[in-house]
Coordinates of all heavy atoms in Angstrom, one line a residue:
M1 N 48.2 -6.5 -46.6 CA 48.6 -5.6 -47.7 C 48.4 -4.2 -47.2 O 47.5 -3.8 -46.5 CB 47.7 -5.8 -48.9 CG 47.8 -4.7 -49.9 SD 47.8 -5.0 -51.7 CE 48.6 -6.5 -52.0
T2 N 49.3 -3.3 -47.6 CA 49.3 -1.9 -47.2 C 48.2 -1.2 -48.1 O 48.1 -1.5 -49.3 CB 50.7 -1.3 -47.5 OG1 51.7 -2.0 -46.7 CG2 50.7 0.2 -47.1
S3 N 47.5 -0.3 -47.5 CA 46.4 0.4 -48.2 C 46.5 1.9 -48.0 O 47.0 2.3 -46.9 CB 45.1 -0.2 -47.8 OG 44.8 0.0 -46.5
L4 N 46.0 2.6 -48.9 CA 45.9 4.0 -48.8 C 44.6 4.4 -48.1 O 43.6 3.8 -48.3 CB 45.8 4.7 -50.2 CG 47.1 5.0 -50.9 CD1 46.8 5.4 -52.3 CD2 48.0 6.0 -50.2
E5 N 44.7 5.4 -47.2 CA 43.5 5.8 -46.5 C 43.5 7.4 -46.6 O 44.5 8.0 -46.6 CB 43.6 5.4 -45.0 CG 43.8 4.0 -44.8 CD 42.5 3.2 -44.9 OE1 41.4 3.8 -44.8 OE2 42.6 1.9 -45.1
I6 N 42.3 7.9 -46.6 CA 42.1 9.3 -46.6 C 41.4 9.8 -45.4 O 40.3 9.2 -45.1 CB 41.4 9.8 -47.9 CG1 42.2 9.5 -49.2 CG2 41.1 11.3 -47.8 CD1 41.4 9.6 -50.4
D7 N 41.9 10.7 -44.7 CA 41.2 11.3 -43.5 C 40.3 12.4 -44.1 O 40.8 13.5 -44.4 CB 42.2 11.8 -42.5 CG 41.6 12.4 -41.3 OD1 40.4 12.7 -41.3 OD2 42.3 12.6 -40.3
W8 N 39.0 12.2 -44.2 CA 38.1 13.2 -44.8 C 37.9 14.4 -43.9 O 37.5 15.4 -44.4 CB 36.8 12.5 -45.1 CG 36.9 11.4 -46.1 CD1 36.8 10.1 -46.0 CD2 37.2 11.6 -47.5 NE1 37.0 9.5 -47.2 CE2 37.3 10.4 -48.1 CE3 37.5 12.8 -48.3 CZ2 37.6 10.2 -49.5 CZ3 37.8 12.6 -49.6 CH2 37.8 11.3 -50.2
T9 N 38.3 14.3 -42.7 CA 38.2 15.5 -41.8 C 39.3 16.5 -42.1 O 39.3 17.6 -41.7 CB 38.2 15.1 -40.3 OG1 39.5 14.6 -40.0 CG2 37.2 14.2 -40.0
R10 N 40.4 16.0 -42.8 CA 41.5 16.9 -43.2 C 41.6 17.2 -44.6 O 42.1 18.3 -45.0 CB 42.8 16.2 -42.8 CG 43.1 16.0 -41.3 CD 44.4 15.3 -41.1 NE 44.8 15.3 -39.7 CZ 45.6 16.2 -39.1 NH1 46.2 17.1 -39.9 NH2 45.9 16.1 -37.9
C11 N 41.2 16.3 -45.5 CA 41.4 16.5 -46.9 C 40.7 17.8 -47.4 O 39.5 18.1 -47.1 CB 40.8 15.3 -47.7 SG 40.9 15.5 -49.5
D12 N 41.5 18.6 -48.1 CA 41.0 19.9 -48.6 C 40.7 19.8 -50.1 O 40.4 20.9 -50.8 CB 41.9 21.0 -48.4 CG 42.0 21.4 -46.9 OD1 41.0 21.3 -46.2 OD2 43.1 21.8 -46.4
G13 N 40.9 18.7 -50.7 CA 40.6 18.5 -52.2 C 41.6 19.2 -53.0 O 41.3 19.7 -54.1
H14 N 42.9 19.3 -52.6 CA 43.9 19.9 -53.4 C 44.2 19.1 -54.7 O 44.6 19.6 -55.7 CB 45.2 20.1 -52.7 CG 45.1 20.9 -51.5 ND1 45.0 22.3 -51.6 CD2 45.1 20.7 -50.1 CE1 45.0 22.8 -50.4 NE2 45.0 21.8 -49.5
G15 N 43.9 17.8 -54.6 CA 44.1 16.9 -55.8 C 45.5 16.5 -56.1 O 45.8 15.9 -57.1
L16 N 46.5 16.9 -55.2 CA 47.9 16.6 -55.5 C 48.1 15.1 -55.5 O 48.9 14.6 -56.4 CB 48.8 17.2 -54.4 CG 50.3 17.1 -54.6 CD1 50.7 17.6 -55.9 CD2 51.0 17.8 -53.5
C17 N 47.4 14.3 -54.7 CA 47.5 12.9 -54.7 C 47.1 12.3 -56.0 O 47.8 11.3 -56.4 CB 46.7 12.3 -53.5 SG 45.0 12.8 -53.5
S18 N 46.2 12.8 -56.7 CA 45.8 12.2 -58.0 C 46.8 12.5 -59.1 O 46.9 11.8 -60.0 CB 44.4 12.8 -58.4 OG 44.5 14.1 -58.7
V19 N 47.6 13.6 -58.9 CA 48.6 13.9 -59.8 C 49.8 13.0 -59.6 O 50.4 12.5 -60.5 CB 49.1 15.4 -59.7 CG1 50.3 15.7 -60.5 CG2 47.9 16.3 -60.0
L20 N 50.1 12.7 -58.3 CA 51.3 11.9 -58.0 C 51.0 10.4 -58.1 O 51.9 9.6 -58.3 CB 51.7 12.2 -56.5 CG 52.3 13.6 -56.3 CD1 52.5 13.9 -54.9 CD2 53.5 13.9 -57.2
L21 N 49.7 10.0 -58.0 CA 49.4 8.6 -58.1 C 48.2 8.4 -59.0 O 47.1 7.9 -58.6 CB 49.0 8.0 -56.7 CG 50.1 7.7 -55.7 CD1 49.5 7.3 -54.4 CD2 51.0 6.6 -56.2
P22 N 48.3 8.7 -60.2 CA 47.2 8.7 -61.1 C 46.6 7.3 -61.4 O 45.4 7.2 -61.7 CB 47.7 9.3 -62.4 CG 49.2 9.1 -62.4 CD 49.6 9.2 -60.9
T23 N 47.4 6.3 -61.2 CA 46.8 4.9 -61.4 C 46.0 4.5 -60.2 O 45.2 3.6 -60.3 CB 47.9 3.9 -61.6 OG1 48.8 3.9 -60.4 CG2 48.7 4.2 -62.8
R24 N 46.1 5.2 -59.1 CA 45.3 4.8 -57.9 C 44.3 5.8 -57.4 O 43.3 5.4 -56.7 CB 46.3 4.5 -56.7 CG 47.4 3.6 -56.9 CD 47.5 2.6 -55.8 NE 48.3 1.5 -56.2 CZ 47.7 0.3 -56.6 NH1 46.5 0.1 -56.4 NH2 48.5 -0.6 -57.0
V25 N 44.5 7.0 -57.8 CA 43.6 8.1 -57.3 C 43.1 9.0 -58.4 O 43.9 9.5 -59.2 CB 44.4 9.0 -56.2 CG1 43.4 10.0 -55.6 CG2 45.1 8.1 -55.2
G26 N 41.9 9.1 -58.5 CA 41.3 10.1 -59.4 C 40.6 11.2 -58.6 O 40.9 11.3 -57.4
V27 N 39.9 12.1 -59.2 CA 39.2 13.2 -58.5 C 37.7 13.2 -58.9 O 37.4 12.9 -60.0 CB 39.8 14.5 -58.7 CG1 41.2 14.6 -58.0 CG2 39.9 14.9 -60.2
D28 N 36.9 13.6 -57.9 CA 35.5 13.7 -58.3 C 35.3 15.1 -58.9 O 36.2 15.9 -59.1 CB 34.6 13.4 -57.1 CG 34.7 14.5 -55.9 OD1 35.3 15.6 -56.2 OD2 34.3 14.2 -54.8
E29 N 34.0 15.5 -59.1 CA 33.7 16.7 -59.8 C 34.1 18.0 -58.9 O 34.1 19.1 -59.5 CB 32.3 16.8 -60.2 CG 31.3 16.6 -59.1 CD 29.9 16.4 -59.5 OE1 29.3 17.3 -60.2 OE2 29.3 15.3 -59.3
W30 N 34.3 17.8 -57.6 CA 34.7 18.9 -56.8 C 36.2 18.9 -56.5 O 36.6 19.7 -55.7 CB 33.9 18.8 -55.4 CG 32.4 19.0 -55.7 CD1 31.7 20.1 -55.9 CD2 31.4 17.9 -55.7 NE1 30.4 19.8 -56.1 CE2 30.2 18.5 -56.0 CE3 31.5 16.5 -55.6 CZ2 29.0 17.7 -56.1 CZ3 30.4 15.8 -55.7 CH2 29.1 16.4 -55.9
G31 N 36.9 18.0 -57.0 CA 38.3 17.9 -56.8 C 38.8 17.1 -55.7 O 40.0 17.0 -55.4
F32 N 37.8 16.4 -55.1 CA 38.2 15.5 -54.0 C 38.7 14.1 -54.5 O 38.1 13.7 -55.5 CB 37.1 15.3 -53.0 CG 36.9 16.5 -52.1 CD1 36.2 17.6 -52.5 CD2 37.6 16.6 -50.9 CE1 36.0 18.8 -51.7 CE2 37.5 17.7 -50.1 CZ 36.7 18.8 -50.5
P33 N 39.6 13.5 -53.8 CA 40.1 12.2 -54.3 C 39.1 11.1 -54.3 O 38.3 11.0 -53.4 CB 41.3 12.0 -53.4 CG 41.0 12.7 -52.1 CD 40.2 13.9 -52.5
V34 N 39.3 10.2 -55.3 CA 38.5 9.0 -55.4 C 39.6 7.9 -55.5 O 40.3 7.9 -56.5 CB 37.6 9.0 -56.6 CG1 36.9 7.6 -56.7 CG2 36.6 10.1 -56.5
L35 N 39.6 6.9 -54.6 CA 40.5 5.8 -54.7 C 40.0 4.8 -55.6 O 38.9 4.2 -55.4 CB 40.8 5.2 -53.3 CG 41.4 6.1 -52.2 CD1 41.5 5.4 -50.9 CD2 42.8 6.6 -52.7
H36 N 40.8 4.5 -56.7 CA 40.4 3.4 -57.6 C 40.6 2.1 -56.9 O 39.8 1.2 -57.1 CB 41.3 3.5 -58.9 CG 41.2 4.7 -59.6 ND1 40.0 5.3 -59.9 CD2 42.1 5.6 -60.1 CE1 40.2 6.4 -60.6 NE2 41.5 6.6 -60.7
D37 N 41.7 2.0 -56.2 CA 42.0 0.7 -55.5 C 42.9 1.1 -54.3 O 44.1 1.5 -54.5 CB 42.8 -0.2 -56.5 CG 43.1 -1.5 -55.8 OD1 42.8 -1.7 -54.6 OD2 43.8 -2.4 -56.4
P38 N 42.5 1.0 -53.1 CA 43.3 1.4 -52.0 C 44.5 0.5 -51.7 O 45.4 1.0 -51.1 CB 42.3 1.4 -50.8 CG 41.2 0.5 -51.2 CD 41.1 0.5 -52.7
D39 N 44.4 -0.8 -52.1 CA 45.6 -1.6 -51.9 C 46.8 -1.2 -52.7 O 46.7 -1.0 -53.9 CB 45.2 -3.1 -52.2 CG 44.1 -3.6 -51.2 OD1 44.0 -3.1 -50.1 OD2 43.4 -4.6 -51.6
V40 N 47.9 -1.2 -52.0 CA 49.1 -0.7 -52.7 C 50.1 -1.9 -52.8 O 50.5 -2.4 -51.8 CB 49.8 0.5 -51.9 CG1 51.1 0.9 -52.6 CG2 48.8 1.6 -51.8
A41 N 50.5 -2.3 -54.0 CA 51.4 -3.3 -54.2 C 52.8 -2.8 -53.8 O 53.1 -1.6 -53.8 CB 51.5 -3.7 -55.7
E42 N 53.7 -3.8 -53.4 CA 55.0 -3.5 -53.0 C 55.7 -2.5 -53.9 O 56.4 -1.6 -53.5 CB 55.8 -4.8 -52.8 CG 57.1 -4.7 -52.0 CD 56.9 -4.5 -50.6 OE1 55.8 -4.9 -50.0 OE2 57.7 -3.8 -49.9
A43 N 55.6 -2.8 -55.2 CA 56.3 -2.0 -56.2 C 55.8 -0.6 -56.3 O 56.6 0.3 -56.7 CB 56.1 -2.6 -57.6
D44 N 54.6 -0.3 -55.8 CA 54.1 1.1 -55.8 C 54.3 1.8 -54.5 O 53.9 3.0 -54.4 CB 52.6 1.0 -56.1 CG 52.3 0.5 -57.6 OD1 53.2 0.6 -58.4 OD2 51.2 -0.1 -57.8
L45 N 54.8 1.1 -53.5 CA 55.0 1.8 -52.2 C 55.8 3.1 -52.3 O 55.5 4.1 -51.6 CB 55.6 0.8 -51.2 CG 54.5 -0.1 -50.5 CD1 55.2 -1.1 -49.6 CD2 53.5 0.7 -49.8
P46 N 57.0 3.1 -53.0 CA 57.7 4.4 -53.0 C 56.9 5.5 -53.5 O 57.0 6.6 -52.9 CB 58.9 4.0 -53.9 CG 59.1 2.6 -53.8 CD 57.7 2.0 -53.7
A47 N 56.2 5.4 -54.6 CA 55.3 6.4 -55.1 C 54.2 6.8 -54.1 O 53.9 8.0 -54.0 CB 54.7 6.0 -56.5
A48 N 53.7 5.8 -53.5 CA 52.6 6.1 -52.5 C 53.2 6.8 -51.3 O 52.5 7.8 -50.8 CB 52.0 4.7 -52.1
R49 N 54.4 6.5 -50.9 CA 55.0 7.2 -49.8 C 55.3 8.7 -50.1 O 55.1 9.6 -49.3 CB 56.3 6.5 -49.3 CG 56.0 5.2 -48.6 CD 57.3 4.7 -48.0 NE 57.0 3.4 -47.3 CZ 57.5 2.2 -47.7 NH1 58.3 2.2 -48.8 NH2 57.2 1.1 -47.1
R50 N 55.7 8.9 -51.4 CA 55.9 10.3 -51.8 C 54.6 11.1 -51.8 O 54.6 12.2 -51.4 CB 56.5 10.3 -53.2 CG 58.0 10.0 -53.3 CD 58.7 10.3 -54.6 NE 58.2 9.5 -55.7 CZ 58.7 8.3 -55.9 NH1 59.7 7.8 -55.2 NH2 58.2 7.5 -56.9
A51 N 53.5 10.4 -52.3 CA 52.2 11.1 -52.3 C 51.8 11.4 -50.8 O 51.3 12.5 -50.6 CB 51.2 10.3 -53.0
V52 N 52.0 10.5 -49.9 CA 51.6 10.7 -48.5 C 52.4 11.9 -48.0 O 51.9 12.8 -47.3 CB 51.8 9.5 -47.7 CG1 51.8 9.8 -46.2 CG2 50.8 8.4 -48.1
A53 N 53.7 11.9 -48.3 CA 54.6 13.0 -47.7 C 54.2 14.3 -48.4 O 54.4 15.4 -47.7 CB 56.0 12.7 -48.0
A54 N 53.7 14.3 -49.6 CA 53.4 15.6 -50.3 C 52.0 16.2 -49.9 O 51.8 17.3 -50.2 CB 53.5 15.4 -51.8
C55 N 51.2 15.4 -49.4 CA 49.8 15.9 -49.1 C 49.9 17.1 -48.2 O 50.3 17.0 -47.0 CB 49.0 14.8 -48.4 SG 47.3 15.3 -47.9
P56 N 49.4 18.2 -48.6 CA 49.5 19.5 -47.8 C 48.7 19.5 -46.6 O 48.9 20.3 -45.7 CB 49.1 20.6 -48.8 CG 48.3 19.9 -49.9 CD 48.8 18.5 -49.9
A57 N 47.7 18.6 -46.5 CA 46.7 18.6 -45.4 C 47.0 17.5 -44.4 O 46.3 17.3 -43.5 CB 45.3 18.6 -45.9
L58 N 48.0 16.7 -44.7 CA 48.3 15.5 -43.9 C 47.1 14.6 -43.8 O 46.8 13.9 -42.8 CB 48.8 15.9 -42.5 CG 50.0 16.8 -42.4 CD1 50.3 17.2 -40.9 CD2 51.2 16.2 -43.1
A59 N 46.4 14.5 -44.9 CA 45.2 13.7 -45.0 C 45.4 12.3 -45.5 O 44.5 11.4 -45.4 CB 44.1 14.4 -45.8
L60 N 46.5 12.1 -46.2 CA 46.7 10.8 -46.9 C 47.7 10.0 -46.1 O 48.7 10.5 -45.6 CB 47.3 11.1 -48.3 CG 47.3 10.0 -49.3 CD1 45.9 9.5 -49.7 CD2 48.1 10.4 -50.5
R61 N 47.4 8.7 -45.9 CA 48.3 7.9 -45.1 C 48.2 6.5 -45.6 O 47.3 6.1 -46.3 CB 47.9 7.9 -43.6 CG 46.6 7.4 -43.3 CD 46.3 7.4 -41.8 NE 45.0 6.9 -41.5 CZ 44.0 7.7 -41.2 NH1 44.1 9.0 -41.0 NH2 42.8 7.2 -41.0
L62 N 49.3 5.7 -45.3 CA 49.4 4.3 -45.6 C 49.1 3.5 -44.3 O 49.7 3.8 -43.3 CB 50.8 4.0 -46.1 CG 51.0 4.4 -47.6 CD1 52.5 4.4 -47.9 CD2 50.2 3.6 -48.6
E63 N 48.3 2.5 -44.4 CA 47.9 1.7 -43.3 C 48.3 0.3 -43.6 O 48.0 -0.3 -44.7 CB 46.4 1.7 -43.0 CG 45.9 3.1 -42.6 CD 46.2 3.4 -41.1 OE1 46.4 2.5 -40.4 OE2 46.1 4.6 -40.8
T64 N 49.0 -0.4 -42.6 CA 49.4 -1.8 -42.8 C 48.7 -2.5 -41.6 O 49.0 -2.2 -40.4 CB 50.9 -2.0 -42.7 OG1 51.5 -1.2 -43.8 CG2 51.2 -3.5 -42.9
P65 N 47.8 -3.5 -41.9 CA 47.2 -4.2 -40.8 C 48.2 -4.9 -39.9 O 49.1 -5.5 -40.4 CB 46.2 -5.1 -41.5 CG 46.4 -5.0 -42.9 CD 47.4 -3.9 -43.2
V66 N 47.9 -4.8 -38.6 CA 48.8 -5.6 -37.7 C 48.1 -6.9 -37.4 O 46.9 -6.9 -36.9 CB 49.0 -4.7 -36.4 CG1 49.8 -5.5 -35.4 CG2 49.6 -3.4 -36.7
P67 N 48.8 -8.0 -37.6 CA 48.2 -9.3 -37.2 C 47.8 -9.4 -35.8 O 48.6 -8.9 -34.9 CB 49.2 -10.3 -37.7 CG 50.4 -9.6 -38.1 CD 50.1 -8.1 -38.1
L68 N 46.7 -10.0 -35.5 CA 46.3 -10.1 -34.1 C 47.2 -11.3 -33.5 O 47.3 -12.3 -34.1 CB 44.8 -10.5 -33.9 CG 43.9 -9.4 -34.4 CD1 42.5 -9.9 -34.4 CD2 44.0 -8.1 -33.5
S69 N 47.6 -11.1 -32.3 CA 48.4 -12.1 -31.6 C 47.5 -12.8 -30.5 O 46.5 -12.2 -30.1 CB 49.7 -11.6 -31.0 OG 49.3 -10.6 -30.0
R70 N 47.8 -14.0 -30.2 CA 47.0 -14.7 -29.2 C 47.7 -14.6 -27.8 O 48.8 -14.5 -27.7 CB 46.8 -16.1 -29.6 CG 46.0 -16.2 -30.8 CD 45.8 -17.6 -31.2 NE 45.0 -17.7 -32.4 CZ 44.2 -18.7 -32.7 NH1 44.2 -19.7 -32.0 NH2 43.5 -18.6 -33.8
Ligands
SF4_101 S1 46.7 15.6 -51.6 FE1 45.8 15.3 -49.6 S2 44.5 17.1 -49.3 FE2 44.9 17.0 -51.4 S3 43.2 15.8 -52.3 FE3 44.9 14.3 -51.8 S4 44.4 13.6 -49.7 FE4 43.2 15.5 -50.1

């Protein structure tokens, strides 16, 4: 499953991701994002991609695990 990840070394707490993905991201008392559920369902991927593209600090990304091959 694809999941949302936050690079804390980049995030500036603009809070834009919580506005664009309110069902998945909230903010703490300092304005930094809190992921309610990092797993992103297929139907939510377009909105998640828009949030990733809009992050002004390039801190938000989508990760899809790559299966290990033998
Ligand atoms: S939009 Fe980007 S920089 Fe702003 S709070 Fe979300 S992850 Fe952090």
Side-chain angles (χ1 to χ4, degrees):
M1 166 142 327
T2 303
S3 61
L4 274 173
E5 306 281 341
I6 297 169
D7 181 344
W8 294 110
T9 66
R10 290 179 171 264
C11 178
D12 289 329
H14 297 287
L16 185 56
C17 50
S18 68
V19 174
L20 295 174
L21 283 176
T23 59
R24 303 225 163 260
V25 187
V27 289
D28 67 15
E29 59 190 297
W30 297 282
F32 283 87
V34 176
L35 295 177
H36 300 311
D37 179 3
D39 293 337
V40 180
E42 194 72 28
D44 294 335
L45 276 176
R49 288 190 181 111
R50 280 194 293 276
V52 166
C55 174
L58 305 177
L60 193 63
R61 62 177 179 257
L62 284 167
E63 296 280 341
T64 303
V66 177
L68 296 174
S69 58
R70 294 180 178 207

